[in-house]
Amino acid sequence: MRVRKVQEKRSWAIAVAVAIIKPTLLLLTKQKWVGGEQNFPADEGCVVVVNHLSHVDPLTTALLSYDHGRIPRFLIKSGLFKNKALGFFLKQAGQIPVYRESAGAAGAYDAAVAAVRHGQAVLIYPEATITRDPDLWPMRGKSGAARIALETGCPVVPVGQWGAQAILPPYTKRPFLFPRKTIVARIGAPVDLSDLAAKQPRTAEVVNEATDRIMAAITHQVELIREEHAPKERYDMRVQGDRFKDRKKAS
């Protein structure tokens, strides 16, 4: 694809991050972005939803967004903001802290809605954690992305990505940097939630249907990359447990 020029004003933190992350990823990886010229909004507020494979994902997904002319705003676990220096940097870069299961949890939702309404691109991993599916297919999603999209009426852009797990497999610490890995991302057409956005009141059933559509769209893009069919039933940690945690306990 032809790389788009970023039109938004960059903070000093974004400029520093780009100067470090982009050349590093260009050195260590090859990128194949598909469908972005047609489907990645050039300037309007949007929610970009991506499957989660590795702790490397935020770096590769940030490059994907930046190559399409958009400064990425992630929803990031609040723990990373506890370090004063890192927290200050992340805030200056416009990232959004998520305080799970606390009185501040609603703040992330409000901040994400505000960012979208200000024309920004908010990137979300709807699974909320690295997939536990044994074959790394997308899991059952959480409702945050759907609720933001239903509230704002913004485009929801599904992205399926594959390759980051070859650099750093899930929940491991040793990276495999060479030979260079290829990161493939397919950007699909925005998920149609217009019928659901029009429904009032916004019940749990409506939000769940929107979430299912989002995860189906992401999964379809992953299927196209892998040229395989995903399982009919998505992995659900609430039912099937956390296999990484169980493996750690067993060891």
Side-chain angles (χ1 to χ4, degrees):
M1 63 155 284
R2 183 170 52 191
V3 175
R4 293 178 185 165
K5 184 178 180 180
V6 173
Q7 301 297 321
E8 302 171 66
K9 184 178 179 180
R10 300 190 307 173
S11 68
W12 65 267
I14 290 294
V16 169
V18 171
I20 295 172
I21 295 172
K22 185 166 185 175
T24 301
L25 287 178
L26 292 179
L27 174 66
L28 298 177
T29 68
K30 303 173 186 178
Q31 301 82 40
K32 183 179 180 182
W33 309 148
V34 181
E37 293 186 26
Q38 301 82 15
N39 298 320
F40 207 118
D43 51 19
E44 65 181 307
C46 60
V47 171
V48 181
V49 287
V50 192
N51 61 307
H52 206 349
L53 297 167
S54 166
H55 286 304
V56 173
D57 289 347
L59 302 180
T60 57
T61 309
L63 179 61
L64 169 76
S65 179
Y66 200 81
D67 279 352
H68 287 86
R70 305 306 300 271
I71 293 174
R73 269 80 183 186
F74 287 97
L75 300 184
I76 298 178
K77 294 178 182 178
S78 60
L80 293 178
F81 288 79
K82 292 180 180 178
N83 179 289
K84 289 185 178 181
L86 179 58
F88 177 72
F89 182 86
L90 291 172
K91 288 178 181 178
Q92 292 298 306
Q95 306 311 303
I96 303 169
V98 178
Y99 300 90
R100 293 180 178 175
E101 299 178 0
S102 71
Y109 169 81
D110 292 338
V113 167
V116 169
R117 286 177 170 161
H118 280 88
Q120 297 173 347
V122 174
L123 278 64
I124 299 177
Y125 300 103
E127 297 158 279
T129 188
I130 293 172
T131 180
R132 299 322 198 251
D133 183 273
D135 295 315
L136 301 183
W137 290 104
M139 297 191 297
R140 180 183 176 92
K142 295 189 180 296
S143 65
R147 291 189 297 112
I148 294 165
L150 292 171
E151 178 64 26
T152 61
C154 71
V156 182
V157 183
V159 176
Q161 57 109 6
W162 191 250
Q165 78 285 353
I167 301 173
L168 186 65
Y171 291 94
T172 61
K173 296 180 179 180
R174 180 190 171 192
F176 297 90
L177 302 180
F178 298 102
R180 292 170 72 197
K181 309 300 188 292
T182 298
I183 308 299
V184 183
R186 289 189 60 99
I187 300 93
V191 183
D192 186 4
L193 302 178
S194 57
D195 60 319
L196 300 177
K199 290 185 177 181
Q200 294 293 338
R202 199 158 288 145
T203 63
E205 288 75 14
V206 169
V207 174
N208 289 339
E209 171 62 23
T211 302
D212 287 343
R213 289 187 195 179
I214 288 170
M215 293 311 303
I218 295 172
T219 302
H220 178 60
Q221 297 305 316
V222 178
E223 288 180 321
L224 292 175
I225 294 172
R226 295 176 58 172
E227 298 182 341
E228 301 176 72
H229 292 294
K232 291 183 179 179
E233 296 292 330
R234 278 188 278 279
Y235 194 97
D236 187 344
M237 288 176 60
R238 296 177 301 179
V239 177
Q240 295 160 280
D242 184 339
R243 66 189 185 92
F244 288 123
K245 186 180 291 184
D246 293 342
R247 182 190 302 168
K248 188 174 181 180
K249 287 181 179 178
S251 62

